[in-house]
Amino acid sequence: MSQGLVLDIQPNTVWHVEEACRQAWPAAVEQVADGWLLRRSGGGIRRTNSANPLAGERHCNAALIDRIETFYRDFRQVPVFRLTDFTREISAELDRRGYTTQANTLTLLALLAARPPLYSEGTVVTTEPTENWFDLRDRLAKDPLIFRDMVAAIGMPKAFASLRAGGRTASIAYGVLCHGMLVVESVATHPDHRGKGLARRTVGALMNWARDAGADKACLQVVADNHPALAVYRALGFNTELYSYHYRFAPDAA
C-alpha cells in the first residue's frame, strides 16, 4: 500500500484519514445507510455527491444498492459510489448493473514534525479565503457557489494560501487540521504560471502553518494520472501511498 518513505501507520490510520478528508470537504446533506455515508451537495463535484463506505460493518447487497440508488434518484442525480481499495465488497454487484469506473485517486501522506520549514517565499496564508483566492478557484474548477458554501461549512481550523505572480493571484490551496493532520485541498495554479514551482510554495506554506499548529502529518488526494501534481507532492515529502479510491457511476451517467 505504501511506497518510498515508511511512516508509522496504525491500523486505523486509513479511516482517520478518510474522516479527515470528508471533514475538510463537507457535503450539504449527509445520511447514513447500513454503514455507508450518502453525501449530496448538487452540482458535479463527485466527492460530495457519492455514497462512501464507513468503518465497521457495512451491508454490501443488492437491497443496499437499491436504497442508495433511490436516495440519489429522488434528487434527480445519477447514483455514484466511491470505493477505496480496501472496501470493494460491493464491486461485483455494481459490475452486474453496468456501473462504470472513473477517476482512480491516490491518498498520500507526509511527515511534518521532523522536517525543516519548506520554501514558501511570497505566499500569503489567511484564516479565510479572499475574493482573489475565490476568483482563481472559480475560473479553474466547477460549481463555484456550491464550493463557497462548502468552505463556509468547514468546522475545523483552516487556512488559505495564495501566491501572486504577474500582478494577479496565480496559485492557491487550502488546508484543514483534523486528527493532528493537515488535509491539503484545492491546489490550483493559473495555466500561465504552471511549471514554475508556485504550487510547491503554496502547499509548502500550508505545511509550515500546520506544523506550527502542532500537526505531525499531512495528507492529500490526487488523481493517479496527474503526473505534474504527483511530482510536486513527492518533492514536498508525500512519498507514502496510503490507499487509493475510485468512483463507480450508474450506467445512465452522462
Side-chain angles (χ1 to χ4, degrees), residues 51-120:
N52 291 251
L54 295 173
E57 183 178 352
R58 292 178 302 278
H59 289 194
C60 299
N61 51 32
L64 168 73
I65 298 177
D66 290 342
R67 180 178 176 184
I68 292 175
E69 288 181 339
T70 298
F71 172 84
Y72 286 106
R73 295 199 188 284
D74 282 347
F75 290 107
R76 298 184 179 181
Q77 291 185 221
V78 173
V80 180
F81 289 77
R82 178 181 166 277
L83 303 183
T84 70
D85 56 12
F86 53 92
T87 59
R88 293 184 177 179
E89 307 95 323
I90 206 167
S91 293
E93 178 63 19
L94 296 179
D95 289 341
R96 191 186 69 79
R97 297 187 185 209
Y99 275 66
T100 60
T101 301
Q102 295 184 24
N104 187 44
T105 301
L106 304 176
T107 303
L108 307 180
L109 256 66
L111 288 175
L112 294 179
R115 65 182 308 147
L118 292 160
Y119 177 68
S120 59

Side-chain angles (χ1 to χ4, degrees), residues 27-30 38-42 48-50 71-72 75 77:
V29 174
E30 295 189 340
L38 314 187
R39 312 183 80 208
R40 191 190 76 82
S41 292
T48 53
N49 290 285
S50 57
F71 172 84
Y72 286 106
F75 290 107
Q77 291 185 221

Side-chain angles (χ1 to χ4, degrees), residues 120-139:
S120 59
E121 182 179 357
T123 305
V124 175
V125 178
T126 59
T127 57
E128 295 293 337
T130 65
E131 279 305 310
N132 287 335
W133 194 101
F134 273 132
D135 286 345
L136 179 58
R137 197 273 172 190
D138 293 351
R139 288 201 297 270

